[in-house]
Amino acid sequence: IPEWNMVVVRLGLDGRAKDEVWDQFLAKIGEAVAATSKPKTAAPPNRIKVAVVQMFVRPALTENRDRIVAGIKQAAERGGRVAVFPERALSGSGGDRQESVDQAVDTIRRAARERGINLVFGAHTWLPSVKRNANWMLAIGPDGRDLLRYEKLYDNHRATMPGVFAVDGVPCGTMICADRWLRGVVEIPIQRGAQISFELSNNFASEWVAPYE
């Protein structure tokens, strides 16, 4: 019984318990397991307080990591359920080792878990998929686990389309800046039930479509 971390073994060597007694006992065990196995899910909230964090991106990866961690703290203290950071919030010199990037992300995950808050942030680091520095984003839950990761399609045309993830039970979608021009990135998550769309932008001049400049 995984829920109780135990195993029920019937030896029946003493001959004192009748089969009917064993049947009743095991039936009660089954009822108890079924009762504890039912998922307890709360209804999604009617409102979610979003904390939008505007930050000036610094040259060093560690500086931007620390600014994100500080923003998570401030968002949680003000009652935010999800902290949203811009495109490229986690970035550095461009030559940061993958180990350093992974450690920075782990620190951010830990901060989200300690504060019990959802998190959406953009990053710009070396990506093996395109063999250069490029944009990507990560959504993290209040337990510190990853909810969604996707690479910016403007930078990586072969990247996977972003899907739907849940913030406190509410389906959400996301996009990174210029990917807004790809209607599927915006519309498909909505068709799949997303009720909130997060857009992480840094608005590089090269990404503007001429008619909308």
Side-chain angles (χ1 to χ4, degrees):
I1 305 174
E3 293 82 356
W4 297 350
N5 193 26
M6 66 179 290
V7 177
V8 177
V9 180
R10 176 187 173 183
L11 294 178
L13 298 179
D14 57 9
R16 296 178 183 178
K18 297 181 180 180
D19 289 341
E20 293 80 3
V21 175
W22 275 106
D23 290 344
Q24 294 174 7
F25 170 71
L26 294 175
K28 293 295 184 182
I29 291 288
E31 292 173 3
V33 171
T36 58
S37 299
K38 292 180 180 178
K40 299 178 181 179
T41 56
N46 294 324
R47 294 183 179 182
I48 292 179
K49 188 172 184 178
V50 178
V52 178
V53 183
Q54 298 279 19
M55 60 173 278
F56 184 79
V57 178
R58 303 295 299 170
L61 181 74
T62 53
E63 288 182 286
N64 293 318
R65 176 205 63 196
D66 292 345
R67 287 187 170 219
I68 293 173
V69 170
I72 292 171
K73 178 177 180 293
Q74 293 175 5
E77 290 176 345
R78 297 183 183 187
R81 287 303 305 143
V82 54
V84 183
F85 293 81
E87 176 185 24
R88 212 169 183 163
L90 182 65
S91 58
S93 63
D96 300 289
R97 295 185 303 168
Q98 187 61 47
E99 179 183 0
S100 299
V101 175
D102 292 343
Q103 290 175 351
V105 174
D106 284 341
T107 299
I108 293 169
R109 290 190 184 104
R110 184 164 57 251
R113 182 173 64 251
E114 291 174 351
R115 297 291 174 178
I117 190 173
N118 298 275
L119 171 65
V120 181
F121 72 92
H124 185 266
T125 63
W126 173 267
L127 291 180
S129 57
V130 291
K131 295 181 174 56
R132 60 184 174 87
N133 292 319
N135 289 286
W136 54 277
M137 62 77 58
L138 185 65
I140 300 173
D143 58 359
R145 297 183 181 181
D146 295 353
L147 301 175
L148 176 75
R149 183 188 184 280
Y150 105 88
E151 297 179 8
K152 187 176 182 180
L153 289 156
Y154 183 91
D155 293 341
N156 179 7
H157 298 171
R158 296 182 179 275
T160 302
M161 291 274 287
V164 176
F165 61 99
V167 170
D168 291 351
V170 177
C172 300
T174 187
M175 69 204 79
I176 303 176
C177 201
D179 283 357
R180 74 172 77 89
W181 306 123
L182 304 174
R183 299 312 305 167
V185 173
V186 179
E187 295 173 359
I188 291 177
I190 295 173
Q191 293 170 356
R192 295 178 58 190
Q195 299 177 25
I196 300 174
S197 290
F198 296 105
E199 180 183 332
L200 313 184
S201 295
N202 206 327
N203 286 328
F204 299 103
S206 63
E207 295 176 343
W208 283 98
V209 177
Y212 300 99
E213 290 182 341

